[in-house]
Amino acid sequence: MYGNTPSSRETRKRLDAVVVGAGFGGMYMVHKLREMGLSILGIEAGSDVGGVWYWNRYPGARCDLMCIDYSYSFNEDIQQEWTWSEQFAAQPEILEYAKFVATKLKLREHFLFDTRVVRANWDDDQNVWIIETDRSEIFEATYCIMATGPLSKPKDPEIPGLDEFEGELYRAAKWPHTPVDFAGKRVGLIGTGSTGIQIVPVVAKQAKELCVFQRTPSYSMPMRNDKLDADYVAEIKRNYEGLRAAARNSALGGVRPSTTRPYFSLPPGQRRAVLEDCWKQGGHAVLGAFSDILTNPEANEQVAEFAREKISEIVKDPETAEALKPRGYPIFARRPCLDSGYYEAFNEPHVRLVDCLKEPIDRITETGLQTRDQHYDLDALILATGYDGLTGALLSFEITGRNGRKLSDKWKDGARSYLGLVMADFPNLFMICGPNGPAALSNIVTLDEQNVNWICDLITHMQDHELVTMEATQSAEDAWMETVFELAGRTLLAKANTWYVGANVEGKSRGLFMYTGGYLNYSNACEAAARSGYSGLSFAKQTEPA
Ligand code: NAP
């Protein structure tokens, strides 16, 4: 199967585990496996740790989860030594944090950087994964752990002429490592999801002109970020234990506000007061204002109308305000955006919204962008056009399991796995934040830690019982997917054309394949799976030589 690969069997390095990816999941995985005494290798395409925060250096890049959630809880020294400067940290600070952790835990020595995995094949005879990189190195490993991230395969728009543009072309997800100066330039931006919404106010401050090409408007709420003063940081550090416990016991894996109060349990005036208060608080407070925003279409529409009214309150030009108002899909069915001056930017005379629903983009030209109605001359064009989410990274290289079964074949009608962690026919392969877990809807660092701990407990179980392989049983995988689909049917999340449902990638099978039952229920399900003696997995012992 791998006989024509460049290195001979003798020169291949044999390891207990290979971890693909040096984001938060991969870093913690490498740390834990090393603590367990396993020989490990991490492989990462970037030049350093950080994952999504290594690549996404675009102006305004910032985490829309608070740092007290979006940080590791497993190491008390890290919690106490690292000090966040803002409630919602910007990309440079988060990347520094990742580097700080890597240095403190001496993780880099286990990683091969600037290296991509191009193939991972299971060898049925040897019970090992054969992992080949773009540097023609081959590794053999008992366990292969994919920490490739749910949003790591960026997607260009399907607009003709992209290669013809002679101005400066920037992709949000592959931003240059040196500062970009937009002063005096006519800048175009395509894409108004979380990324585009963060870019607009920052580039608007520099550019001579900014044209925002919007196809589907997003709902955005004010972030209302705060600097953290020393006294508050000291309070956080004293109380981390309780804050982390609260995060682990929540539906989101974080300390965001939530409630059990349904929308229509309050009279109209009080509902409005709650929403106004949440809008003033900022962050995701509106999302947590009522318990049924994502399940009751009538409640959802009233909250959506509230958000639309807010756009009219901020944006002075009525036509622009109208074009910015999302319609035709439920609020929060697309990822809720948090902004710092997005709508306000459209009050600047040099910032212009182009409504591509009315004036579709025809093509990109050498000098700018041609819509149905006119040509926009541009010196620079920024693409914030999203990702092939959840499955993109794992399907971007060849993964072959038992009996030559390709992952691309297994997932041709959509991703399937057991708990989002393991799969039938793919022995000893683990996914961190896999497509059938709650990754897109929870605090991913809490989920990373939970996934890694679960995987390590399972490997320990295998070692204790001299088990050499494990994989999900077909029935456990099918039952998990039934749960996923049953829960998906209860939410409004599938009612928008988003990366959540694969609608943004041509030809991708469409549907809600992710777990929508919330972080706590998910982690309880994983715990129950372990407590049952891993009854959803089949194991094999080392066979004695004949
Ligand atoms: P996205 O939400 O998928 O948005 C992509 C945007 O590009 C959409 O507005 C889309 O319009 C537009 N687009 C794509 N192709 C186009 C075309 N041919 N013509 C015109 N417009 C086109 O991607 P994203 O903004 O990068 O966000 C992806 C996810 O990353 C978020 O949902 C979030 O989970 C994560 N993220 C998180 C943070 C954070 O703060 N933690 C920040 C940024 C991103 P249509 O909708 O009409 O296709």
Side-chain angles (χ1 to χ4, degrees):
M1 181 171 21
Y2 46 89
N4 57 355
T5 46
S7 54
S8 66
R9 273 232 65 166
E10 296 69 46
T11 60
R12 291 177 193 166
K13 187 161 182 204
R14 178 68 208 257
L15 299 139
D16 291 323
V18 161
V19 177
V20 186
F24 283 102
M27 288 166 67
Y28 180 45
M29 188 83 237
V30 163
H31 167 70
K32 279 279 285 190
L33 292 174
R34 181 182 56 186
E35 276 195 330
M36 288 165 63
L38 269 64
S39 59
I40 32 159
L41 175 74
I43 302 178
E44 164 60 50
S47 303
D48 202 349
V49 296
V52 79
W53 301 104
Y54 171 87
W55 297 105
N56 278 260
R57 297 164 189 248
Y58 61 82
R62 186 177 287 288
C63 187
D64 60 10
L65 298 179
M66 293 186 289
C67 305
I68 51 167
D69 282 343
Y70 203 84
S71 52
Y72 288 126
S73 71
F74 70 88
N75 183 304
E76 183 60 11
D77 289 348
I78 290 172
Q79 287 190 157
Q80 294 304 326
E81 285 173 33
W82 179 264
T83 294
W84 293 107
S85 72
E86 293 180 283
Q87 208 170 11
F88 298 91
Q91 175 270 335
E93 189 170 359
I94 302 173
L95 184 56
E96 274 316 302
Y97 171 75
K99 290 179 180 176
F100 163 80
V101 173
T103 303
K104 179 149 184 81
L105 301 179
K106 298 190 173 55
L107 295 179
R108 287 189 186 87
E109 61 201 56
H110 300 289
F111 274 97
L112 264 186
F113 291 104
D114 300 306
T115 307
R116 253 178 211 287
V117 172
V118 293
R119 203 162 290 124
N121 293 332
W122 174 252
D123 182 328
D124 283 317
D125 299 327
Q126 306 291 327
N127 283 338
V128 287
W129 281 96
I130 314 289
I131 293 148
E132 189 180 335
T133 74
D134 60 356
R135 294 166 171 245
S136 301
E137 293 146 311
I138 298 187
F139 302 95
E140 295 186 355
T142 309
Y143 306 105
C144 180
I145 298 111
M146 297 297 180
T148 43
L151 289 164
S152 50
K153 191 180 176 211
K155 203 195 132 281
D156 276 355
E158 290 89 13
I159 302 174
L162 192 55
D163 295 341
E164 287 160 33
F165 185 60
E166 289 178 353
E168 300 165 27
L169 183 66
Y170 299 102
R171 292 173 170 86
K174 290 276 158 67
W175 202 262
H177 289 206
T178 45
V180 177
D181 184 8
F182 290 110
K185 291 182 184 152
R186 298 161 303 176
V187 182
L189 167 76
I190 305 177
T192 51
S194 303
T195 302
I197 280 175
Q198 290 186 330
I199 292 173
V200 165
V202 182
V203 172
K205 286 203 176 77
Q206 303 168 9
K208 184 168 87 177
E209 285 169 24
L210 174 61
C211 269
V212 180
F213 297 92
Q214 169 194 273
R215 193 163 61 185
T216 309
S218 295
Y219 291 94
S220 185
M221 299 167 295
M223 179 177 268
R224 305 206 198 285
N225 197 9
D226 246 345
K227 293 272 177 229
L228 300 184
D229 68 35
D231 288 346
Y232 176 48
V233 168
E235 275 177 351
I236 291 175
K237 288 188 179 182
R238 280 201 305 277
N239 289 286
Y240 256 134
E241 198 183 327
L243 292 168
R244 302 298 195 186
R248 283 192 283 266
N249 282 299
S250 73
L252 298 157
V255 292
R256 285 191 245 169
S258 63
T259 177
T260 52
R261 171 184 55 203
Y263 187 78
F264 292 106
S265 66
L266 292 182
Q270 287 180 31
R271 283 178 225 151
R272 178 79 195 194
V274 167
L275 288 172
E276 288 288 356
D277 186 48
C278 289
W279 190 268
K280 264 193 218 115
Q281 279 178 46
H284 287 105
V286 174
L287 175 58
F290 298 100
S291 59
D292 53 351
I293 301 180
L294 268 173
T295 48
N296 182 335
E298 198 178 338
N300 184 286
E301 176 50 27
Q302 293 201 16
V303 176
E305 192 48 34
F306 168 81
R308 290 184 205 113
E309 284 170 27
K310 287 291 164 196
I311 297 172
S312 277
E313 282 175 25
I314 303 168
V315 179
K316 292 186 184 131
D317 173 48
E319 203 182 321
T320 305
E322 218 36 51
L324 283 165
K325 289 180 186 173
R327 295 190 190 278
Y329 70 89
I331 187 168
F332 306 136
R334 292 163 85 83
R335 159 94 175 198
C337 304
L338 298 187
D339 70 271
S340 305
Y342 174 65
Y343 293 121
E344 289 82 350
F346 292 98
N347 292 332
E348 299 289 333
H350 67 293
V351 179
R352 173 169 180 184
L353 184 75
V354 181
D355 181 352
C356 299
L357 294 177
K358 287 196 183 136
E359 187 188 336
I361 300 172
D362 270 356
R363 60 180 297 108
I364 293 166
T365 67
E366 289 173 8
T367 54
L369 196 147
Q370 177 69 49
T371 66
R372 192 193 57 195
D373 299 351
Q374 69 177 94
H375 188 268
Y376 294 83
D377 295 332
L378 301 171
D379 303 307
L381 178 61
I382 302 173
L383 304 180
T385 45
Y387 299 83
D388 182 353
L390 302 170
T391 56
L394 285 166
L395 292 177
S396 65
F397 59 96
E398 183 184 297
I399 302 179
T400 311
R402 198 183 280 296
N403 299 322
R405 178 118 200 244
K406 301 250 182 276
L407 185 63
S408 52
D409 181 44
K410 181 179 172 83
W411 284 2
K412 69 178 183 325
D413 298 321
R416 296 183 71 85
S417 66
Y418 174 48
L419 301 167
L421 286 160
V422 289
M423 288 179 281
D425 290 332
F426 290 79
N428 293 7
L429 184 82
F430 299 95
M431 296 174 289
I432 297 178
C433 294
N436 312 118
L441 303 172
S442 9
N443 169 21
I444 212 154
V445 186
T446 310
L447 185 64
D448 281 332
E449 289 189 349
Q450 184 274 345
N451 275 193
V452 169
N453 292 340
W454 192 89
I455 293 167
C456 289
D457 288 347
L458 174 52
I459 291 176
T460 303
H461 171 88
M462 291 174 70
Q463 290 174 329
D464 290 350
H465 295 83
E466 296 178 350
L467 304 168
V468 288
T469 66
M470 76 78 215
E471 64 190 280
T473 63
Q474 194 57 57
S475 58
E477 186 176 295
D478 291 346
W480 179 252
M481 293 313 299
E482 272 308 301
T483 303
V484 164
F485 296 139
E486 199 265 314
L487 289 168
R490 296 187 206 169
T491 89
L492 301 174
L493 282 169
K495 298 201 180 305
N497 293 327
T498 62
W499 64 268
Y500 287 169
V501 295
N504 64 331
V505 177
E506 252 174 44
K508 189 165 177 170
S509 49
R510 185 125 172 209
L512 205 50
F513 294 91
M514 64 194 187
Y515 179 82
T516 52
Y519 171 80
L520 180 59
N521 289 333
Y522 171 77
S523 79
N524 286 341
C526 292
E527 249 181 58
R531 265 201 319 274
S532 73
Y534 301 102
S535 58
L537 303 180
S538 65
F539 295 96
K541 283 202 175 217
Q542 184 77 55
T543 46
E544 295 296 325

